[in-house]
Amino acid sequence: MKLLAYNLSKISHSGQLYGKEDYFLYHIVPIENIVHQKYFKDQYSIVAYLHDIVEDTDVTLKDINSLFGGAISNSVDAITRRKNEPWLDYLNRVVLDDVAKAVKYYDVLFNLEETINQITMTKDKNNIRRYKKYMQALRVLHP
């Protein structure tokens, strides 16, 4: 199942970029690596591979449920932000699922590090707002 999640995520995110980098290789894989080192459980790794798939691709929660079952689908649902969902409402929903909370925590850490790098290089106000957003998320998600 872990290999299926890897391949589905790789194919589904094909062509997407994280800045100038390949989205899957630069963002998804490193988060899975961190989560795997911390938890050593396939469920955590699978959700890490799939954590952005519903928001950013044509893959649906129904697809996830069909391929991976209810537990994985529930965690992916928990980590998927709804359209127009306020940030704190979203985070407070994520923390109700232990797997989603763990994956989101490391997703936020990754995004925060990237934001700090951008602030350092550009002094851009949008990146400063992103920094504050991710710091707020860490306070809510902290294990």
Side-chain angles (χ1 to χ4, degrees):
M1 299 246 305
K2 192 171 159 180
L3 182 58
L4 176 61
Y6 174 94
N7 287 326
L8 178 63
S9 185
K10 182 177 182 179
I11 291 166
S12 299
H13 288 290
S14 179
Q16 294 179 353
L17 297 176
Y18 191 105
K20 295 179 182 178
E21 306 294 332
D22 178 82
Y23 193 83
F24 177 75
L25 293 175
Y26 190 80
H27 180 69
I28 302 293
V29 170
I31 291 171
E32 187 281 331
N33 287 337
I34 294 166
V35 168
H36 176 74
Q37 290 172 14
K38 179 75 174 168
Y39 294 97
F40 298 107
K41 294 181 181 175
D42 282 353
Q43 183 176 359
Y44 286 74
S45 289
I46 292 167
V47 173
Y49 281 133
L50 303 176
H51 79 271
D52 282 337
I53 203 162
V54 174
E55 287 180 40
D56 296 344
T57 76
D58 292 333
V59 177
T60 66
L61 285 170
K62 185 176 179 181
D63 297 331
I64 300 299
N65 190 55
S66 296
L67 292 168
F68 299 97
I72 297 295
S73 179
N74 289 341
S75 292
V76 172
D77 183 31
I79 205 168
T80 300
R81 190 171 178 190
R82 311 293 189 257
K83 186 176 181 177
N84 299 318
E85 184 175 24
W87 180 244
L88 278 178
D89 291 351
Y90 164 64
L91 294 174
N92 285 315
R93 186 170 53 76
V94 170
V95 300
L96 299 176
D97 183 287
D98 290 340
V99 176
K101 178 182 174 182
V103 172
K104 189 63 185 176
Y105 181 79
Y106 291 105
D107 179 39
V108 166
L109 278 178
F110 183 93
N111 291 332
L112 178 60
E113 183 177 342
E114 290 300 309
T115 300
I116 290 169
N117 290 339
Q118 290 300 313
I119 289 170
T120 302
M121 292 180 347
T122 66
K123 308 283 192 247
D124 179 32
K125 289 182 182 182
N126 286 328
N127 285 317
I128 293 169
R129 278 193 291 275
R130 286 180 61 210
Y131 167 80
K132 290 177 181 177
K133 170 183 156 181
Y134 294 132
M135 288 303 296
Q136 180 183 47
L138 290 178
R139 287 189 288 275
V140 174
L141 295 168
H142 187 269

